[in-house]
Amino acid sequence: MRRTIAAVSALAVVLAAGCTIGKDQTGAQVGEGSIKKIDALSGAQIRVSSKEFDEQLLLGQIAVVALQAAGASPQDKTNITGSSNVRQALTSGAVDLYWEYTGTAWISYLKQTKPIADPQAQYDAVKQADAANNVTWWARSPANDTYALAGNPAAIAKTGVKTLSDYAALVKRDPAAASTCIGPEFKSRDDGFPGLEKTYGFDLPAPQEHLLNDAVIYPTVGKGDTCGFGEVASTDGRVAAQKLTVLEDDKHFFPTYNPAISIASGVAQKYPQLEQVFTPIAAKLDTATLTDLNKKVSVDGQKPAEVARDWLKSAGFIS
């Protein structure tokens, strides 16, 4: 009982921290574009969530603005720290929907050990398996925000590392040259560093493993004083901004991470019209587009709500 109460209390704290705004951050009205008002959604208080990093904040605001355009009254519950906390918020009924990644669900939530190479087949498998958890999946984006390791120009030039197999060999040959920055979640996830070490057969010594906040990794690796290599997200605009080179995953360890709408099945059944709101949006979010949008937030310093609104308008979804 204590454990249950503690878990509920912790989730309440997380949700309080995550509830950032109650309406569009720009304060502007959302006009119709290709998204039309849907009578069944009029005034529907759909609780939209997200994780805490820039891409998720952006995707969360895309969902908020799109729902407003469709006539709903979305509640902003974005900016929850940690994948497991957002997932718990969804499965416990504290939020209604958020963009989740197919690879994350398959490995972390559904506890599968082998990713499926074909993105559509991976999505289909996640959708089928997660139905038992009362989670419905809609609107798979073609963008692939996969985990990766990247190196700065000096480290790449000095070591000649191009692939993760090269990196594993470097760890064994010269651990000091393989000094690596990683984030807390990547350090513990099955589809993160532990699985990477197992698949590629290396064990990075503790002194060469530097645990940092994810956002700090990019400039730290770019500068090169602490780490020559670091964990990155492949669609993050800071990869190019810091001139980092992503190492090829030559053993195909990382699964496909397509963002898609994960929604409580009860809400999906009550408002099936939501699927038609998100499907065309997801179709336009390819890797290049999402990377460019992320750059506007992470590198150029624009607010996620502004970037979301501008993109939805430029793509014709709203006016």
Side-chain angles (χ1 to χ4, degrees):
M1 177 64 73
R2 286 185 201 166
R3 189 174 299 173
T4 302
I5 293 172
V8 172
S9 299
L11 181 58
V13 170
V14 167
L15 286 172
C19 186
T20 56
I21 59 173
K23 60 181 180 179
D24 178 14
Q25 289 177 343
T26 66
Q29 294 297 314
V30 178
E32 282 190 358
S34 61
I35 298 175
K36 305 298 182 183
K37 298 290 185 184
I38 299 172
D39 290 343
L41 293 177
S42 180
Q45 296 187 355
I46 309 296
R47 297 166 296 176
V48 178
S49 194
S50 80
K51 306 176 193 183
E52 79 282 10
F53 56 90
D54 287 347
E55 178 173 291
Q56 278 278 300
L57 296 174
L58 169 66
L59 290 171
Q61 293 308 316
I62 286 174
V64 167
V65 176
L67 287 170
Q68 288 174 332
S73 298
Q75 296 181 20
D76 189 321
K77 301 288 185 179
T78 57
N79 197 21
I80 294 177
T81 300
S83 295
S84 61
N85 287 325
V86 188
R87 170 71 173 195
Q88 184 185 358
L90 180 69
T91 57
S92 69
V95 302
D96 296 318
L97 67 84
Y98 73 105
W99 295 84
E100 184 54 276
Y101 303 93
T102 51
T104 299
W106 189 244
I107 301 296
S108 295
Y109 308 146
L110 299 171
K111 303 302 180 184
Q112 301 296 315
T113 57
K114 294 182 179 180
I116 299 172
D118 178 74
Q120 184 62 47
Q122 178 71 91
Y123 168 81
D124 291 340
V126 168
K127 182 174 183 176
Q128 181 178 358
D130 223 8
N133 300 313
N134 293 316
V135 176
T136 296
W137 285 72
W138 286 336
R140 179 180 71 88
S141 161
N144 183 20
D145 182 14
T146 183
Y147 275 131
L149 287 188
N152 64 39
I156 297 297
K158 180 180 179 180
T159 64
V161 167
K162 296 180 180 178
T163 68
L164 288 174
S165 289
D166 294 340
Y167 170 83
L170 177 66
V171 171
K172 297 173 184 177
R173 181 178 71 251
D174 186 3
S179 182
T180 303
C181 291
I182 61 176
E185 195 165 318
F186 187 70
K187 178 179 173 61
S188 60
R189 282 172 51 151
D190 292 337
D191 56 344
F193 208 62
L196 190 70
E197 287 185 314
K198 182 177 179 181
T199 298
Y200 281 91
F202 69 91
D203 184 8
L204 186 66
Q208 309 307 324
E209 187 178 297
H210 302 274
L211 193 64
L212 298 176
N213 179 280
D214 288 336
V216 179
I217 291 174
Y218 296 88
T220 302
V221 176
K223 189 176 181 181
D225 291 346
T226 303
C227 306
F229 299 90
E231 163 223 340
V232 299
S234 59
T235 55
D236 197 298
R238 290 168 291 190
V239 173
Q242 295 292 335
K243 298 180 172 59
L244 306 181
T245 297
V246 173
L247 306 184
E248 178 190 349
D249 181 13
D250 51 307
K251 292 188 177 181
H252 306 289
F253 164 70
F254 293 117
T256 300
Y257 296 86
N258 293 145
I261 292 292
S262 63
I263 180 171
S265 293
V267 178
Q269 293 163 8
K270 184 177 181 180
Y271 301 112
Q273 302 87 350
L274 288 171
E275 186 172 13
Q276 72 187 66
V277 174
F278 290 113
T279 297
I281 292 173
K284 286 187 174 293
L285 285 172
D286 57 24
T287 297
T289 298
L290 189 55
T291 301
D292 180 63
L293 295 177
N294 286 336
K295 178 181 176 294
K296 294 179 187 298
V297 177
S298 301
V299 179
D300 300 339
Q302 297 184 40
K303 293 185 180 300
E306 295 173 354
V307 176
R309 169 183 287 279
D310 289 347
W311 178 71
L312 287 168
K313 185 176 180 179
S314 69
F317 291 112
I318 65 171
S319 61

